[in-house]
Amino acid sequence: QVQLVESGGGLVQPGGSLRLSCEVSQGTFSTYYMGWSRQAPGKEREFVAGITRNGGNTYYPRSVKGRFTISRDNAKNTLYLQMDSLKPEDSAIYYCAAHSGLSALLNGKSLYWGQGTQVTVSS
């Protein structure tokens, strides 16, 4: 069973930055398309970033494009999300996602989910 463990969340002021990490175990990390989704209270879970297996291509919705950067280190089985210029509306629980299909990942699906990490943007 593949396990995803997110970390790096916290409280940050508007305009600040955070870097999230997701460690993947019990699986072949490099064979998965990876991504991040988030869920705010009372809202649906939404896709925020995706990356191909070798890291060559990245995908973002308009809401975060230019502010968030996804990356991966296949040697360390770790996925990252650098979040800059954070806004209060970015507050949510952030989840790491893994899928064998790129289209499914970009539609917010995942074969496995971690416990998530809370990001709160507030002054």
Side-chain angles (χ1 to χ4, degrees):
Q1 178 75 8
V2 175
Q3 295 181 334
L4 311 177
V5 180
E6 301 94 337
S7 61
L11 173 64
V12 63
Q13 292 187 342
S17 298
L18 280 176
R19 189 193 196 204
L20 306 184
S21 297
C22 171
E23 294 187 31
V24 180
S25 61
Q26 306 300 325
T28 308
F29 180 72
S30 61
T31 66
Y32 292 103
Y33 297 100
M34 298 295 298
W36 292 91
S37 292
R38 67 186 180 189
Q39 187 167 22
K43 293 189 176 182
E44 297 280 323
R45 190 173 298 190
E46 64 169 336
F47 165 82
V48 295
I51 190 167
T52 51
R53 288 177 285 206
N54 64 0
N57 289 290
T58 57
Y59 307 86
Y60 308 93
R62 189 174 300 177
S63 58
V64 306
K65 195 167 187 176
R67 301 188 297 120
F68 288 12
T69 304
I70 188 172
S71 61
R72 67 190 295 164
D73 185 336
N74 286 349
K76 294 182 178 180
N77 289 357
T78 303
L79 178 74
Y80 304 99
L81 184 67
Q82 177 67 40
M83 304 187 294
D84 299 316
S85 303
L86 283 163
K87 305 174 181 180
E89 52 264 42
D90 294 319
S91 298
I93 298 175
Y94 283 70
Y95 298 91
C96 179
H99 213 293
S100 51
L102 179 59
S103 179
L105 181 81
L106 299 184
N107 279 285
K109 295 181 172 58
S110 183
L111 295 175
Y112 314 98
W113 292 109
Q115 82 290 347
T117 185
Q118 176 72 51
V119 171
T120 303
V121 184
S122 175
S123 55

